[in-house]
Amino acid sequence: MSILLVKARLNWRALRCQHQLFKDYYQSLVPLLAMPVSEAPLVAMDLEMTGLDPLQDQILSIGLVPIEHGVIPLEGAQQKLVQIRGSVGQSATIHGILDNHLVQAVTIEEAMAWFIAKTRGRVLVAHHSPLDCRFLQQDILAIYHQAVFLPSIDTLMLEKHRLLRGHHAIKEGSLRLGACRERYGLPIYSAHSALTDALACAELLLAQVAAMGGARQLKVAELMQQSS
Amino acid sequence: MNASELQPVVQFLKGLVPFDTLPDEVILRCAKAVIIGYYSKASAYVSFDANAPKLYIVRSGAFEVRDPEGVLVDRVGEGEFFGFSTLLSGEKVVNKVAILEDGLVYHLPQHLFDQLRSESRNFDKFFTRAFAKRLRHEARFKAKDLTTTSRISTLMSPDPIAIDAHASVTQAALLMRNARVSSLLVTDNHKLVGILTDKDLRNRVLAAGLDGRLAVHQAMTVSPISISSNALIFEAMLLMSEHNIHHLPIIDEGKAIGMVTSTDILRGQGSQPLLLIGEIERQQDLASLISVSKQIPLLLQNLISADARAEEIGRVLTSVTDALTRRLIVLNQQLLGDPPMAFCWLAFGSQGRQDQAACSDQDNGLLVAEEMDDYAKGYFDALTHAVCAGLDQCGYVFCPGNIMAQNPQWRMSLKQWQHVFEKWVITPEPKALMHASIFFDMRSVYGPQTLFDALQDKVLAQTRDNDIFLAGMTGNSLIESPPLGFFRTFVLERDGSEVKGIDLKHKGNALINDIARVYALSAGIKEVNTAKRIRALMDANILNRKDALNLADAHEFIAHMRLANQGYQYTQGQKVSNYLLPGHLSSLVRHQLRDAFKVVHDAQSGMKMKFMRSF
């Protein structure tokens, strides 16, 4: 998506949106687009879901890891487990989340209110962000009756563009989070949770930004542009 | 948030010395306070925020620390640190940190670093010790005390029973009866003047028909042989068997603080080196000595696996060599007849310093009282050849440099030896300096102490404050320098090159031996054992206390690592050598060895300043 278009959509939404919460949300993002990555507040996120279909599947947990001034302050790293309708079912084996873990879990309404508050004024970063965004949009629509626009930086697409620029053949699986991290010599994390994957994504972004010329040179808008 | 959620960070810190000793909740507190930065080669150097000093913990990548003059300070990889010297000193960052490989670095803020230091002694020690280059060992490196290597002080009774020299023997006998002891220390004005034993009362009082009013000083054994409180038990036993005595007063700083008897020692018996030495002393011919000496490698392995202090292992092994040498001398004298004149068997090098280890070769010489006539020449030629050949067959191979008593060049009269040493001291040529490192560490293994003292006193009088000689010795010992530390699986040299392993003898202990020797010769100190030399230099205020203790600790630590490495090689069926491969070292040991190398390097610089200033 062209950056002018992103900016125009954000401004337009900010102007037209009837819901103050989202009006603020859009307005908080506009000034970030022109900022260098070294200045702009970002937030890496990861979602664990019961499946891949936003219409049928549910969010199990959300991990958020802030990126500020080009570094990752872990103090702000947070994770929320989300209550779901019915059993965790099949995906429990994948995510290691068991029904009784969900005792600490919050409702999806609480989770979305928390998510909007935490990510306000921060550009979202995720590995394969469209999927996560579709789940968030679906839940926000159901709760707030708002079809929200969630601009984001996608570390998977950044990597795809980089590989294509270098005329690399993209093999199956080579764009997975772990495979991308390996190319930058980042440590291998065996444990998976929304929070550790969000952290893994945040670190990957820092490495990608360094490889692309550094956080001072790159603007948020350029990263967004290369995320589509 | 619970610990499992920041698992990659928590797990990493948990496995990292010195965080590994912190409780889980503290680790989680650290993980939450960490700020992760990514450093890219493209930016060349790490930029520091002067207002917010931090501890930098390398998670991945590689970095290089250089001082303002550009001298390499350290190269750090995964699981290592930089930036802590600023945190400790509170001074501005002066070192530059270059980025060698892209990587993630955890930043820990100053306030948390300070908090951890105040909460955990272990954490504090790790960083302050590295900073102050202190090396006091961790409990895990503190060698266990064996019966064979434990101190004589552990055997003696805490409050010794003493009597005034002018008291009567009846008073003495009463005291002995009431205290149930077989001997008394005899003092005059709190000074030890003798000992009084059951045997003295029997032989010198009753058998002589004297009565109980006799003064103690008339019945006592005058100026008894004594031993220092930090001597080893087996050394006390050696002394007793050498002089055929059963009581040894224990002296600490010139004062008698106790007494140890052969019975006390027998109670803690069963020690292998003592049995071995006893066995050596019982053998009547070379063939049986050779077969007894086959136990020596096993003795070394036992001492290593028992984790005895390296210094004590050196002393134990050297005592065995000394005993073997003496036995060979005695046996051959029985064959050759009485010697035509007094002589001393001189031990040089590692035997002289009492730090023999595995695969030692011979370094010895003969000092005779007067000029030798043809008969004397023939006698000593036969004696020395027999002893050197015997040592060779017992596993102490002939010296490749031919520094042996059987070589007529190193078999001389007192005058000739004095002359040879004088030549080395006056014209310190390269060859003389090379010899010096061996010959100046000399000790008499056999023969009258007065004869040996006559040589050593003369030599020390010449070396003392002899600027030209000392500068030459210093220059010679600065040819080698210890490595800087380790980087990943390599040893990092001071010039930044990476090598596979390190010779712990020649790039470690030998350098400390050199330093101790130069200082000792400059001050006329008679000790030749490196630890004792350092101690004497400290007592004489020639080395300051901190430097001296650091150097002694570094010496022990490196020697300990050398022996542990040899023990490892031995159990792995590898060839035993001084060569250490850093691959299997724990990060704590790497850290400590690095500190030890730093101590050696600093001591070398100090020595250079002191003795080479004007050259």
Side-chain angles (χ1 to χ4, degrees), chain B residues 18 25 31 97 104 127 187 204 229-230 250 257 274 321 338 348 351 368 422-423 430 463 503 530 541 547 571 574:
Chain B
E25 65 271 18
V97 178
L104 292 171
F127 288 103
T187 55
R204 295 189 188 140
S229 62
N230 63 15
I250 297 163
I257 57 162
L274 286 176
T321 316
D338 285 342
F348 302 117
Q351 192 186 356
V368 296
E422 190 178 0
K423 247 177 57 193
T463 60
D503 180 335
T530 296
N541 277 326
D547 290 349
T571 55
Q574 298 166 0

Side-chain angles (χ1 to χ4, degrees), chain B residues 257-527:
Chain B
I257 57 162
M259 176 100 83
V260 69
T261 67
S262 49
T263 329
D264 294 335
I265 288 176
L266 277 175
R267 247 179 259 137
Q269 69 173 340
S271 57
Q272 212 194 353
L274 286 176
L275 292 177
L276 185 56
I277 289 169
E279 238 180 291
I280 287 170
E281 281 166 356
R282 276 197 305 276
Q283 300 314 311
Q284 294 303 325
D285 54 54
L286 178 61
S288 38
L289 274 180
I290 293 169
S291 100
V292 169
S293 65
K294 294 221 162 63
Q295 299 173 36
I296 296 170
L298 193 65
L299 169 66
L300 174 63
Q301 286 313 314
N302 287 343
L303 289 168
I304 291 173
S305 59
D307 214 18
R309 281 179 62 83
E311 189 210 336
E312 293 176 1
I313 293 178
R315 276 155 80 181
V316 170
L317 286 181
T318 308
S319 302
V320 174
T321 316
D322 290 357
L324 203 56
T325 309
R326 277 196 289 268
R327 192 67 197 148
L328 284 165
I329 294 169
V330 170
L331 286 178
N332 283 292
Q333 278 185 14
Q334 287 169 0
L335 298 174
L336 292 166
D338 285 342
M341 61 182 82
F343 70 93
C344 284
W345 187 273
L346 303 178
F348 302 117
S350 62
Q351 192 186 356
R353 284 190 307 272
Q354 294 179 287
D355 66 1
Q356 284 192 310
C359 45
S360 298
D361 52 15
Q362 293 184 41
D363 282 313
N364 48 46
L366 198 77
L367 163 65
V368 296
E370 297 148 42
E371 294 307 313
M372 290 177 282
D373 56 19
D374 285 346
Y375 170 72
K377 278 181 187 163
Y379 178 91
F380 288 119
D381 188 66
L383 178 71
T384 54
H385 271 93
V387 174
C388 288
L391 284 170
D392 180 64
Q393 287 173 283
C394 288
Y396 301 85
V397 294
F398 286 129
C399 171
N402 209 9
I403 299 175
M404 284 183 291
Q406 68 176 18
N407 178 354
Q409 195 190 346
W410 307 122
R411 201 163 65 223
M412 291 182 279
S413 69
L414 176 61
K415 275 220 175 64
Q416 289 170 314
W417 273 111
Q418 287 172 339
H419 180 68
V420 166
F421 272 101
E422 190 178 0
K423 247 177 57 193
W424 289 333
V425 173
I426 291 171
T427 47
E429 291 160 348
K431 178 140 192 182
L433 290 168
M434 199 192 73
H435 274 151
S437 67
I438 301 167
F439 284 97
F440 282 86
D441 296 345
M442 64 173 165
R443 197 165 52 84
S444 170
V445 172
Y446 181 94
Q449 190 64 31
T450 47
L451 178 57
F452 175 75
D453 286 345
L455 173 60
Q456 199 191 24
D457 292 346
K458 182 79 185 284
V459 169
L460 289 176
Q462 283 163 345
T463 60
R464 192 175 188 146
D465 301 324
N466 185 330
D467 293 346
I468 297 173
F469 169 71
L470 294 169
M473 288 282 282
T474 303
N476 194 53
S477 69
L478 291 176
I479 293 168
E480 285 283 2
S481 61
L484 193 56
F486 303 95
F487 178 68
R488 294 185 175 152
T489 58
F490 296 98
V491 173
L492 181 63
E493 298 283 12
R494 307 201 87 80
D495 63 5
S497 59
E498 288 164 18
V499 294
K500 263 174 87 174
I502 175 197
D503 180 335
L504 286 176
K505 183 177 175 189
H506 293 101
K507 293 205 145 225
N509 289 116
L511 303 181
I512 303 176
N513 291 338
D514 286 348
I515 293 165
R517 182 185 312 111
V518 171
Y519 277 102
L521 293 177
S522 81
I525 284 167
K526 286 172 80 96
E527 300 289 359

Side-chain angles (χ1 to χ4, degrees), chain A residues 19-32:
Chain A
H19 202 299
Q20 193 57 40
L21 188 65
F22 298 100
K23 209 178 177 73
D24 287 351
Y25 183 84
Y26 297 134
Q27 273 169 350
S28 73
L29 293 180
V30 175
L32 304 184

Side-chain angles (χ1 to χ4, degrees), chain A residues 71-72 74-75 191 195-196 203, chain B residues 5 7-8 31-32 34-36:
Chain A
V71 296
I72 304 166
L74 290 182
E75 203 179 1
L195 194 73
T196 53
E203 291 173 348
Chain B
E5 291 171 23
Q7 213 181 15
K32 284 187 194 169
V34 157
I35 294 172
I36 304 175

Side-chain angles (χ1 to χ4, degrees), chain A residues 70-79 104 181 184-189 191-193 195-196 199 203 206-207 210-211 216, chain B residues 1-2 4-9 30-40 42-43 47 59-61 102-104 106-107:
Chain A
V71 296
I72 304 166
L74 290 182
E75 203 179 1
Q78 287 188 19
Q79 171 168 284
Q104 318 162 27
R181 286 173 60 89
Y184 293 90
L186 293 169
I188 295 161
Y189 295 158
H192 292 285
S193 70
L195 194 73
T196 53
L199 174 62
E203 291 173 348
L206 296 189
R216 284 207 198 94
Chain B
M1 185 164 60
N2 65 48
S4 65
E5 291 171 23
L6 275 176
Q7 213 181 15
V9 182
C30 293
K32 284 187 194 169
V34 157
I35 294 172
I36 304 175
Y38 186 85
Y39 292 87
S40 160
S43 34
S47 63
R59 179 64 180 86
S60 66
D102 292 10
L104 292 171
Y106 294 172
H107 306 166

